[in-house]
Amino acid sequence: EAQVTQNPRYLITVTGKKLTVTCSQNMNHEYMSWYRQDPGLGLRQIYYSMNVEVTDKGDVPEGYKVSRKEKRNFPLILESPSPNQTSLYFCASSLATGVLNTAFFGQGTRLTVV
Amino acid sequence: QQQVKQSPQSLIVQKGGIPIINCAYENTAFDYFPWYQQFPGKGPALLIAIRPDVSEKKEGRFTISFNKSAKQFSLHIMDSQPGDSATYFCAASRELGKLIFGQGTTLQVKP
């Protein structure tokens, strides 16, 4: 089954404690991205990757890091989480950008930073 | 110029009603306009999409209307059902560009 898998689904952590949210896709997609969803703000892109070892900032990259060492995996790293990073996070993948970009989303990770 | 503005933020209709969700954009270079549907606890999923060379696209009970001159597009749900209750996101992109999402509309269809 074609899917994007995120882990964990729920996470409560304390300010400053480094964490990683994993994302894996089995569709051989080149393009992967991370979004955060906040009420009234919609989906905002954090980082994206056009291919292995190619990553770039989205609209709200501050406080986040990513890496793309393998095509299927695109982890999101919060080196020093803060309460304003409490949000619902989604990983997405697509075959390409632009007009072929039907984005397939993971189930989401609800992060709470206290 | 990269923004997509979506309204209303929330919408409640009775079963059988026709909810309409509107989106407006600024960037005339956008050439792909999808709508995503998100059920509680799930990630968004593509519902329907339109290119600017057509003014309307229908898939089942879902219709996108597109007004290129006004830079607006909308989603209509005919004969809405309680199972359509979800959050809907419009989006826009240009070729080789990223998706820009609207703010989302939470729809509740009452039985």
Side-chain angles (χ1 to χ4, degrees):
Chain A
E1 180 189 353
Q3 59 185 5
V4 178
T5 303
Q6 289 178 234
N7 280 297
R9 291 290 310 277
Y10 302 91
L11 181 59
I12 300 174
T13 191
V14 296
T15 299
K17 185 176 181 183
K18 181 179 178 180
L19 66 92
T20 299
V21 183
T22 63
C23 174
S24 180
Q25 51 95 1
N26 63 0
M27 295 168 279
N28 202 36
H29 285 168
E30 291 188 347
Y31 187 86
M32 297 186 74
S33 55
W34 276 100
Y35 295 87
R36 60 178 289 173
Q37 181 178 354
D38 301 289
L41 297 176
L43 290 156
R44 295 180 294 167
Q45 192 180 58
I46 302 169
Y47 266 94
Y48 65 94
S49 169
M50 304 282 280
N51 212 325
V52 175
E53 301 292 1
V54 181
T55 64
D56 208 347
K57 296 177 181 179
D59 299 313
V60 289
E62 293 78 20
Y64 305 94
K65 284 176 57 176
V66 293
S67 68
R68 187 94 181 271
K69 292 183 171 28
E70 305 166 280
K71 198 171 187 178
R72 63 183 292 127
N73 296 324
F74 191 45
L76 178 69
I77 303 157
L78 284 72
E79 295 268 0
S80 183
S82 62
N84 65 11
Q85 292 178 297
T86 292
S87 186
L88 179 58
Y89 291 86
F90 287 100
C91 178
S93 75
S94 59
L95 190 61
T97 59
V99 295
L100 296 179
N101 62 1
T102 296
F104 293 84
F105 284 83
Q107 298 266 59
T109 295
R110 186 165 291 282
L111 172 66
T112 302
V113 184
V114 298
Chain B
Q1 203 179 18
Q2 285 285 84
Q3 279 189 323
V4 176
K5 294 183 179 179
Q6 183 173 345
S7 62
Q9 189 169 346
S10 62
L11 190 53
I12 302 174
V13 300
Q14 292 294 132
K15 178 182 173 183
I18 306 175
I20 300 173
I21 305 170
N22 300 299
C23 285
Y25 63 97
E26 293 290 327
N27 189 343
T28 55
F30 286 148
D31 60 2
Y32 176 69
F33 302 90
W35 286 87
Y36 281 78
Q37 180 187 53
Q38 181 186 30
F39 292 108
K42 303 289 186 183
L46 180 66
L47 179 64
I48 185 173
I50 196 168
R51 299 289 302 275
D53 50 349
V54 296
S55 60
E56 185 175 281
K57 183 173 181 180
K58 182 182 263 190
E59 286 186 5
R61 295 183 293 105
F62 299 90
T63 299
I64 301 179
S65 297
F66 186 82
N67 186 329
K68 190 174 182 178
S69 60
K71 292 186 284 186
Q72 295 175 347
F73 58 111
S74 59
L75 177 70
H76 302 233
I77 307 175
M78 309 301 288
D79 187 27
S80 59
Q81 302 296 312
D84 296 329
S85 298
T87 299
Y88 292 83
F89 292 97
C90 64
S93 76
R94 54 186 175 83
E95 187 151 4
L96 302 182
K98 65 180 182 181
L99 282 172
I100 308 295
F101 285 91
Q103 293 78 11
T105 297
T106 301
L107 170 66
Q108 182 184 356
V109 181
K110 291 190 169 183

